[in-house]
Amino acid sequence: MSCRLGAFGLAAMFAALATVAYAADPLRICLDEDRPPLSVQHRGKPGAGFDVTLAQAIAQRLDRPLQIQWFESKLDEDSSPQLEANALLSDGRCALVGSYALTRDSLVVPGMKTARLPDFDGASRDDRRRRVALGVLAPSQPYIYSPMTVVLGPKARDRKISDIGDLAGLRLVIESGSLGDAILMTFHKGRLIDGITHLVPGRDDLLGALDRGDYDATLLDLARFDAHRAAHPDTTITASGYYYPIGANRGYVGLASDPALLAAVNKALTDLMAEGKIAEFGKQAGLTYLPPREPAILGDVWKQIIQR
């Protein structure tokens, strides 16, 4: 009997030690280093933004220390947020990627087996050259709704916008290859095309040009307008208050091979949402926070846009 008790005691001790070890294992979350007010890394200073605060709260609920892996997502026509996130996760750089757009297209099994890593904090020269074998992505429940909104320049600040058609006659500006570009170019079989000027993403200053009065309106992600307004308190551009009806929720994305982590994160998100904490984090970061909407995962975005 004493031998059995001794063996049982050892098993319990090892199980407890394993639990403690897991709890002490850092929760590694990948965040974009330059996406205010969601997330931003200031060199030599702690990271800031809505997703940083949320990540800290999630890690606390899971009783795990937080480690943020900063990465840089380039704003250009050749970038693929899906492949970048998958490469970071599959390479073990993090277990979750924050503020991932939850669309059916962004969660499909990738059509290629490998991809390059985006530039990330601590990357070596070899990291920038090598390719990573990709896994299968799985989403958490959403924690924020991310719509497109019309932003008006100083000469059109009094224009009432209740539909994309209300932009007719204005000097429109948009970044080539963006979602906003697709929406404006295909509206009513090209009704707005003659009034659209295209800028190169990552090279031209879209909101700066709008602020100078060079153009009258644009269509972009609401959080991007929040970031501009925070960085330029004296800005002359204004929010129209109109949200394009097709928008995506954002949440975490991890690998399908770790369902236990996603289940734990979902529970933490549910509790934080019920307590009003997530909306509070958005307000603290200067973010126009909108709660998630149905459907949780958006269907074929391009098809819906063309059909409208």
Side-chain angles (χ1 to χ4, degrees), residues 192-217:
L192 302 175
I193 286 179
D194 290 343
I196 298 174
T197 296
H198 287 92
L199 300 182
V200 178
R203 188 184 74 184
D204 297 317
D205 184 5
L206 173 70
L207 291 178
L210 192 66
D211 216 342
R212 291 192 301 270
D214 298 344
Y215 306 98
D216 296 324

Side-chain angles (χ1 to χ4, degrees), residues 135-299:
V136 177
L137 299 179
S140 74
Q141 65 187 45
Y143 54 73
I144 188 172
Y145 179 67
S146 181
M148 303 285 288
T149 187
V150 169
V151 177
L152 301 170
K155 297 178 182 178
R157 60 183 305 133
D158 296 326
R159 175 71 73 101
K160 302 299 181 184
I161 306 295
S162 57
D163 185 73
I164 294 295
D166 294 332
L167 296 173
L170 296 180
R171 298 170 301 158
L172 306 178
V173 62
I174 202 72
E175 287 169 334
S176 298
S178 65
L179 181 58
D181 184 16
I183 293 170
L184 295 182
M185 290 292 287
T186 59
F187 179 76
H188 276 203
K189 300 181 179 180
R191 175 183 166 192
L192 302 175
I193 286 179
D194 290 343
I196 298 174
T197 296
H198 287 92
L199 300 182
V200 178
R203 188 184 74 184
D204 297 317
D205 184 5
L206 173 70
L207 291 178
L210 192 66
D211 216 342
R212 291 192 301 270
D214 298 344
Y215 306 98
D216 296 324
T218 190
L219 180 67
L220 78 171
D221 187 90
L222 176 60
R224 191 170 168 190
F225 170 69
D226 287 336
H228 181 84
R229 183 172 53 184
H232 305 87
D234 58 346
T235 184
T236 61
I237 66 177
T238 56
S240 66
Y242 167 77
Y243 299 143
Y244 188 72
I246 302 173
N249 292 315
R250 293 186 181 273
Y252 291 110
V253 68
L255 292 178
S257 56
D258 193 1
L261 174 61
L262 289 168
V265 168
N266 283 341
K267 183 180 186 309
L269 287 172
T270 297
D271 293 343
L272 289 166
M273 187 78 71
E275 296 166 13
K277 293 290 186 181
I278 297 182
E280 182 182 322
F281 297 157
K283 184 177 180 180
Q284 291 171 359
L287 180 70
T288 304
Y289 177 79
L290 299 173
R293 300 183 183 181
E294 292 294 338
I297 297 176
L298 186 63

Side-chain angles (χ1 to χ4, degrees), residues 27 29-32 35 37-41 46-62 64 66-68 70 98-99 143 252 268-269 272 276-287 289:
L27 176 64
I29 297 181
C30 284
L31 296 178
D32 194 319
R35 199 173 184 180
L38 294 172
S39 56
V40 60
Q41 181 189 31
F50 167 76
D51 272 307
V52 174
T53 305
L54 179 60
Q56 292 168 341
I58 294 290
Q60 185 177 23
R61 296 289 171 119
L62 271 57
R64 298 173 65 179
L66 173 67
Q67 283 186 0
I68 295 177
W70 296 103
S99 273
Y143 54 73
Y252 291 110
L269 287 172
L272 289 166
K277 293 290 186 181
I278 297 182
E280 182 182 322
F281 297 157
K283 184 177 180 180
Q284 291 171 359
L287 180 70
Y289 177 79

Side-chain angles (χ1 to χ4, degrees), residues 49-110:
F50 167 76
D51 272 307
V52 174
T53 305
L54 179 60
Q56 292 168 341
I58 294 290
Q60 185 177 23
R61 296 289 171 119
L62 271 57
D63 195 25
R64 298 173 65 179
L66 173 67
Q67 283 186 0
I68 295 177
Q69 172 65 72
W70 296 103
F71 72 95
E72 179 183 1
S73 183
K74 297 186 182 299
L75 183 64
D76 58 46
E77 296 180 26
D78 297 324
S79 65
S80 170
Q82 176 190 356
L83 294 179
E84 290 178 350
N86 198 321
L88 288 165
L89 292 165
S90 298
D91 198 47
R93 297 292 154 183
C94 51
L96 299 167
V97 176
S99 273
Y100 190 80
L102 302 182
T103 68
R104 190 178 303 161
D105 292 342
S106 72
L107 294 168
V108 296
V109 176

